[in-house]
Amino acid sequence: MFGATSVISAFCRGLREVRCLHMSQISASQVMVDGLQLNYEVKGDGDKVALCLPGALGSVESDFGPQMAELPGMGLKVVCWDPPGYGRSRPPPRQYSADILRCDAELVADMMKNLGYDKYSVLGWSDGGISGMMLAAAFPQHVEKLVIWGANAYITQEDYEIYKGIRDINTWSKKMREPLETMYGREYFKVAWEGWVDAVCSILEKQGGDICTGDLRNITCPTLIIHGAKDPVVPLFHPNYLKENIKNSELVIMENGKHNVHLRYPDEFNKLVSDFLHRA
């Protein structure tokens, strides 16, 4: 079992590495959806549209720099958003609940409709992968293909204990706190992180750990599951479960990858994604 320090380190390392990997400052676009001002970015002019969904406390800039920089040159139009309360989709602050990721899925579907996109594929990392599965299940008429990594359909007691163990940011080292404090400011980061941990843990307390297992049977589009073999945040049994329960899915294990495989190995990851999305 991986310890809390490994989990925090893996989460924050992704934020540090993306600053070295992404292109120069991304300009913001805004759209009003269901009373919320949402930040999004569009890059490229390819016929195939790929919607990127960030992970916990994630944004366009922190989570998808290498994809926004490279995938448009691989024949794709890439759309990425900051979920409400994250990145530049503030204010208002993030409003956490056990169903927040489902709310994100519905909201981003409305955003894409408002922006005029009827058909698109979904790329979701971690929490964004969970929302991506919910989106594909609920809106099969819009989602052509699904790519998910670092995602899970349920949480276990082991997951619960790890999350509880990392709730207090005062136990984190300065090096681990710094990327998120820089992005959000210490107070907002503290409140947002605690809200995220509490919301995730409530899924085990109130729902027996079930996040979206029932959605999996309703995913009909071709699905690519990518997973880092050394991921300390989401153990390998999670992607194996997804592979077994999502029809028309395939699983690719990146042997040296951890939770942030798309940031640590962007060339390999982007090629996998491009080849999959262009496949007939």
Side-chain angles (χ1 to χ4, degrees):
M1 181 180 73
F2 293 98
T5 301
S6 296
V7 175
I8 299 169
S9 180
F11 182 85
C12 294
R13 188 180 300 114
L15 295 180
R16 289 196 300 273
E17 287 173 350
V18 73
R19 285 172 168 76
C20 299
L21 290 167
H22 71 47
M23 61 288 194
S24 58
Q25 190 77 8
I26 298 174
S27 61
S29 299
Q30 301 284 326
V31 62
M32 184 68 72
V33 183
D34 295 344
L36 293 169
Q37 192 78 15
L38 299 176
N39 184 71
Y40 73 96
E41 180 66 21
V42 181
K43 293 285 184 181
D45 56 6
D47 293 334
K48 295 184 180 297
V49 178
L51 168 65
C52 296
L53 307 181
L57 278 71
S59 66
V60 179
E61 291 187 59
S62 69
D63 285 16
F64 287 107
Q67 285 66 53
M68 297 296 288
E70 301 299 332
L71 288 178
M74 304 171 84
L76 298 171
K77 176 179 284 190
V78 184
V79 183
C80 188
W81 80 328
D82 294 350
Y86 290 165
R88 296 179 182 174
S89 292
R90 296 179 291 148
R94 183 77 162 172
Q95 299 297 318
Y96 288 99
S97 64
D99 65 347
I100 185 66
L101 299 181
R102 193 172 299 279
C103 292
D104 283 352
E106 295 170 356
L107 187 66
V108 80
D110 286 344
M111 185 191 84
M112 293 298 280
K113 180 180 179 181
N114 288 1
L115 294 176
Y117 297 109
D118 183 60
K119 297 285 187 181
Y120 47 88
S121 294
V122 175
L123 279 59
W125 178 33
S126 199
D127 275 8
I130 297 170
S131 290
M133 291 186 284
M134 295 171 173
L135 178 60
F139 301 97
Q141 71 276 26
H142 298 306
V143 179
E144 294 183 311
K145 292 187 178 182
L146 175 65
V147 182
I148 50 177
W149 64 103
N152 49 304
Y154 60 91
I155 64 171
T156 66
Q157 185 65 37
E158 179 180 329
D159 300 323
Y160 178 93
E161 296 300 332
I162 290 176
Y163 298 144
K164 283 292 188 182
I166 60 176
R167 185 180 186 276
D168 182 3
I169 65 168
N170 292 314
T171 65
W172 296 27
S173 70
K174 180 181 178 181
K175 183 179 179 182
M176 292 175 178
R177 293 195 310 265
E178 203 167 50
L180 289 164
E181 289 179 347
T182 299
M183 181 183 297
Y184 289 113
R186 182 176 175 83
E187 186 56 31
Y188 189 90
F189 162 46
K190 178 179 184 298
V191 172
W193 179 257
E194 291 174 354
W196 180 80
V197 170
D198 292 345
V200 171
C201 289
S202 73
I203 294 171
L204 185 62
E205 297 166 344
K206 299 177 181 179
Q207 300 171 198
D210 189 353
I211 303 173
C212 63
T213 59
D215 292 87
L216 304 186
R217 61 177 172 268
N218 296 322
I219 298 174
T220 57
C221 64
T223 300
L224 174 62
I225 305 159
I226 304 173
H227 200 77
K230 299 178 180 179
D231 189 337
V233 183
V234 181
L236 192 56
F237 60 80
H238 283 300
N240 286 334
Y241 179 87
L242 298 178
K243 173 65 177 69
E244 292 169 2
N245 289 274
I246 299 176
K247 21 181 206 296
N248 198 18
S249 66
E250 56 190 276
L251 173 60
V252 174
I253 302 295
M254 296 179 66
E255 293 300 329
N256 294 316
K258 296 186 179 180
H259 194 56
N260 59 339
V261 292
H262 65 306
L263 302 180
R264 195 70 181 274
Y265 303 101
D267 292 342
E268 181 181 354
F269 178 90
N270 289 346
K271 187 176 188 307
L272 279 171
V273 169
S274 177
D275 288 350
F276 176 71
L277 296 187
H278 286 294
R279 189 191 305 165

